[in-house]
Amino acid sequence: MSMILKTKPLQTIYKSLGLGEQGKVQQFLGKTVADNLKEYVSHKSGTQETSTYPINGGKQVIINVPYARFQAEGKVMVGVKSRSAYARRGERKVVINKNLRYHSSKLRGAHPFERMKADKRDKILMQTANYARRLDNG
């Protein structure tokens, strides 16, 4: 007795389940990561929280403020000539070996993505898996 099993190509199956390159599951994962990351970025004015969102169909999360890089590194930057954190207009800044102080929560600080990932990776993956199952059953 022989049996012939015909299936669709894997890419077609992935796409129908929302698992494609920019599918619903990837977008949900990006949004969930961005929402969780907001608790870890600097909060003094709240601008970084409101500027954190997923791009590229959920494959990347950015913090869209000009000072996000040095805030994420956690080091003070000063002007090359003025040696002041309030550098002159157009003056290039350099990183010095002095840590930034973060306000409002113990979660906030340097390297927010890495710390958020260490704290919430399992929770985010579970939420994403549950979302994918709901898509499959619905």
Side-chain angles (χ1 to χ4, degrees), residues 19 35 55 80 84 107 112 129 132:
L19 298 172
D35 290 344
I55 60 170
V80 174
S84 169
L107 292 177

Side-chain angles (χ1 to χ4, degrees), residues 73-85:
E73 291 300 317
K75 297 291 184 183
V76 174
M77 293 182 79
V78 297
V80 174
K81 291 182 182 177
S82 67
R83 301 308 291 173
S84 169

